[in-house]
Amino acid sequence: MITDYDFKEIEQRWSRKWIRDNAWRSPRLPDPATKSYALTMFPYPSGDMHMGHVEVFSIHDSIARNLRMRGHQVLNPLGFDAFGLPAENAAIQRGIHPKTWTYSNIDKLFSSAQRLGCSFDWERTLRTCDPSYYRWNQWFFLRFYERGLAYRRQAPAWWCPNDKTVLANEQVIAGRCERCDAVVEKRYLTQWFFKITDYADRLLDDMELNTGWTERLKSLQSNWIGRSFGAEVEFEIEGEGAVTVYTTRPDTLWGATFFVVAPEHPMAERLVAGTELEAEFAAFKDEVSRLTEIDRTATERPKKGMFLGHYAVNPVNGEKIPIWAADYVLLDYGTGAIMAVPAHDHRDFEFARQYGIDIRTVIEPLDPAAAKPDEAYIGPGVMVNSGVFDGTPAEVSVGVVTEWLEAQGLGRAAKNFRIRDWLISRQRYWGTPIPIIFCARCGEVPVPDEDLPVILPEDADFRPTGEDSPLASASEWVNVSCPKCAGAARRETDTMDTFVDSSWYFNRYVDPHNEELPFDPEVADAWMPADQYTGGIEHAVLHLIYARFFQKVLVDLGMASAPEPFPNLLNQGTITMGGKRMSKSRGNLVDPSEAFERYGADSLRLYMLFSGPPEQDFDWPEEGVRSIGRVAYPWLQRVWRLCEDNRDVVDIGDLHELPLDKALKRQVHRTIRVVSEDFERFSFNTAIARLHELVNHAYRYRAAGGGHPGVMHELIEALLKLLAPMAPHITEELWHRLGHQDSIHTQTWPTFDPGLAKLEEVTMVVQVNGKVRDKLEVPAGITEEEMKVKALASNKVSAHLQGREPLKIITKPPKLISLVV
Ligand code: ANZ
Ligand code: ZN
């Protein structure tokens, strides 16, 4: 009997069974030859599932299920990034405890992920706010501390006045808080840091291991780390001694006509102290403190500075040059002091022109026309006006001058990084307590390992207070005895940045119930690195850089051997509606639970995957959830009917095949071939389009009188297997309705007969300036890009191009391409 597609009943039944059996359980130690770790960025439980989760889970789960069918032992875990501001702020707004709020959201997200049919290994679920997880954050903190990688220091720090906490540099985007968009301030505070700068070289050099990263992502990280090579040079300043500057261009030393320090540089204060410049300087410094770093370093903007009434001695020629304080020099870059060479640096040039300071050319370009009178010349050239170095060419000038500086004891080769140490302390409640105790006698004392975890006190007033963490008021928790001398002592009351939690969670997944260690290194080695990671590009310089750093420390601790945690990364696009990011506050949400109710999880997944390439942004149609009812849902009904109509066909062996049957069979094999390729490229939208075609072929075949049971049977089984990773419930049901006892998700991915799968070929004509110059056999499904490549590779064509670039290329796929030169 042919039944309707009752998605509700089907999805519920299969999903229950999969959960009951924990169908996607992975072994503790995998077979190294077939292991595949499919990892997705774990979600923040700030509410129930939204379309962003649906998108990334649909992509990720299709990858994981496909890997399983291709014979891999797959590890596919889910966890919750459960500490942090979003949950805490939401809880404060509602007047409930962050813990209550967080755990109830986790429950919602957890069951929505199950409802979506995600094939996670549910026994490995972790929540970072569980003491059994965060004790290991504390344990790692202590290991970092022992190695000098965790330290406390007074430093200017970004402060978000809205979230009432400090932020790491990476959390400040264009001068604003990454979370709430408030303009941040600089405050001088004592804070905890992780010494990520010790790993800056490795973070850059190992990037080449990440072969599955886009160039864009690699360059975002390289720029953030920002390594440059140059020299440190000492300038004598009366009363101050030798003051060091960092420069990438020691070959321009003879062109230094002034010296600049950051207004915050302690020396500036000392130079004006007691002079008539003191008040003016204080006002100037105050003015600069209100500018953002972005403004200060922008090239186009007029700069501000003041002469400090003193001079520095240029070590190469003994010249006295004026010392200025200027807004474009930053305190925490290089040494906070520079030699200014206006002839060869844009910012110095503008500053010198504004304030009438000398500009002296010391580099002459090979092509004199390259030097422009109202611009600094920053290109390569020959040294001039530089004493004995005159005539030194660009290729060697930096090296030669650096060596000479070293020989004279005036300076040394140096390199510099843009990245700063990672500020990890937060003045907020909902995070991991930092395991340090302050004792009047012993100072900073680490909490002994056996006293971990330091549990976050639940009865504390968790509302943010300001520069002090809310934990400071939990006096029973704060006042402890010193682990060393047993005297009265106080706990550190700041908590850790939640990016600490997310820096190693993927290592915990491999061994989530370990009570002796964060994870067993042997087990981690068997699974790591993650073979495929999916997640948002917004983490390009946040999570991804911290996690890479953490992994390298694990290597140094002897706990890991993979230097890079995620060599392959897929960044999904953003989902918008009306061009704006979907969000509750904008009211442009499409609620997944409504989609579940009306069309089911499989339709929702297919709709999402069909919306375009995974990396691309998708603007959801204004009609909202109903759009699923226009495409994905009716198509699944069509698949349902096709399978049900042909449920009873049985393969009865060597029945004679008519041309009609042979053509359909070829179609099946071609589809297997191209869909397999699509899966390898994560091109789910084209895979779905090809399955649409296959189903159309099947209906047409029946309409034309086709009915070969063997061919039809082969088509249906292939269709279901190819569709299974993307629409897991309906395919499982139809598979069983064909009479199978086992699961479709444990079947082997279909293979094709290369002879049958040969793509249809057509003749492509190549014209040059309107004349036919070549004819090539190409696949019927050729893309415009491939047409161009093929045409330009033809010898006959290149004979007519004679080395000229075509001005225009017109393509009419697949049969005609016309080049105009
Ligand atoms: C003299 C000079 C001459 C420079 C020249 C450049 C060109 P990167 O590549 O980003 O590392 N600089 C150094 N410290 C600075 C600070 N705290 N604030 C603002 N600018 C600073 O750039 C290094 C260059 O940036 C240094 O080399 C210095 O200017 C400037 F023809 O020194 B240079
Ligand atoms: Zn003590």
Side-chain angles (χ1 to χ4, degrees), residues 363-409:
I363 301 289
E364 208 153 74
L366 294 179
D367 168 13
K372 305 217 170 62
D374 52 354
E375 222 177 77
Y377 175 71
I378 60 163
V382 177
M383 289 176 69
V384 295
N385 298 326
S386 301
V388 296
F389 289 95
D390 282 358
T392 312
E395 298 77 51
V396 296
S397 58
V398 169
V400 168
V401 173
T402 308
E403 265 171 46
W404 178 80
L405 287 170
E406 264 169 42
Q408 303 288 310

Side-chain angles (χ1 to χ4, degrees), residues 22-43:
N22 192 24
W24 326 113
R25 184 184 286 117
S26 32
R28 181 175 164 81
L29 279 170
D31 175 353
T34 60
K35 80 97 183 174
S36 202
Y37 187 172
L39 181 67
T40 183
M41 290 181 187
F42 64 168

Side-chain angles (χ1 to χ4, degrees), residues 9-310:
E9 190 276 327
I10 293 166
E11 292 184 354
Q12 205 177 62
R13 180 156 41 79
W14 286 113
S15 140
R16 281 209 185 120
K17 176 170 166 51
W18 294 333
I19 294 162
R20 196 169 55 232
D21 301 349
N22 192 24
W24 326 113
R25 184 184 286 117
S26 32
R28 181 175 164 81
L29 279 170
D31 175 353
T34 60
K35 80 97 183 174
S36 202
Y37 187 172
L39 181 67
T40 183
M41 290 181 187
F42 64 168
Y44 270 124
S46 53
D48 195 356
M49 183 178 267
H50 58 69
M51 278 303 167
H53 297 123
V54 170
E55 182 194 24
V56 67
F57 284 168
S58 301
I59 295 167
H60 168 77
D61 196 55
S62 301
I63 295 173
R65 285 179 184 270
N66 176 246
L67 285 169
R68 254 184 235 112
M69 292 177 80
R70 283 180 13 215
H72 290 272
Q73 269 181 336
V74 174
L75 172 62
N76 181 26
L78 175 70
F80 297 92
D81 192 5
F83 269 143
L85 288 187
E88 187 177 346
N89 288 340
I92 292 168
Q93 267 169 27
R94 287 168 178 76
I96 53 178
H97 197 279
K99 182 176 171 179
T100 320
W101 171 246
T102 302
Y103 279 94
S104 90
N105 285 333
I106 288 176
D107 286 346
K108 284 188 217 156
L109 255 174
F110 191 85
S111 45
S112 294
Q114 293 187 323
R115 189 147 181 206
L116 190 62
C118 295
S119 62
F120 291 117
D121 177 348
W122 303 107
E123 283 165 19
R124 292 175 186 264
T125 308
L126 61 81
R127 295 168 291 232
T128 57
C129 61
D130 287 344
S132 61
Y133 183 83
Y134 70 70
R135 74 173 286 184
W136 301 114
N137 286 341
Q138 296 171 339
W139 188 88
F140 279 125
F141 179 96
L142 296 173
R143 303 293 84 78
F144 279 46
Y145 186 80
E146 287 157 7
R147 311 187 129 234
L149 291 174
Y151 67 92
R152 210 162 69 109
R153 129 179 104 96
Q154 222 191 32
W158 295 116
W159 174 265
C160 173
N162 181 45
D163 286 329
K164 294 195 174 63
T165 179
V166 296
L167 301 170
N169 279 352
E170 288 78 8
Q171 286 168 315
V172 178
I173 316 279
R176 288 169 183 275
C177 171
E178 175 239 348
R179 292 233 183 283
C180 73
D181 222 32
V183 174
V184 298
E185 303 161 6
K186 266 232 152 123
R187 290 201 187 175
Y188 211 66
L189 296 165
T190 300
Q191 296 293 316
W192 286 98
F193 293 85
F194 277 169
K195 214 166 178 189
I196 194 170
T197 50
D198 270 12
Y199 286 73
D201 275 318
R202 280 160 77 183
L203 286 168
L204 265 179
D205 298 337
D206 286 353
M207 201 94 85
E208 67 180 40
L209 301 172
N210 295 329
T211 48
W213 283 31
T214 59
E215 287 309 314
R216 169 159 176 248
L217 182 58
K218 285 190 200 174
S219 78
L220 281 170
Q221 285 227 346
S222 306
N223 291 340
W224 185 260
I225 300 164
R227 179 167 60 191
S228 71
F229 295 96
E232 282 174 358
V233 188
E234 318 278 4
F235 282 66
E236 270 312 313
I237 293 171
E238 209 189 333
E240 292 286 332
V243 177
T244 311
V245 302
Y246 172 73
T247 174
T248 46
R249 295 293 303 273
D251 58 331
T252 64
L253 260 161
W254 287 261
T257 55
F258 58 111
F259 188 99
V260 190
V261 292
E264 302 87 345
H265 198 295
M267 183 177 81
E269 206 104 25
R270 287 197 295 269
L271 293 180
V272 294
T275 75
E276 74 279 15
L277 295 171
E278 204 168 1
E280 189 190 336
F281 176 75
F284 170 62
K285 185 176 168 183
D286 184 56
E287 195 184 323
V288 175
S289 74
R290 280 193 292 270
L291 295 174
T292 68
E293 200 160 306
I294 310 284
D295 288 340
R296 287 180 61 171
T297 50
T299 337
E300 318 77 50
R301 185 194 56 98
K303 288 146 193 62
K304 269 213 165 137
M306 68 175 276
F307 175 51
L308 299 180
H310 290 254

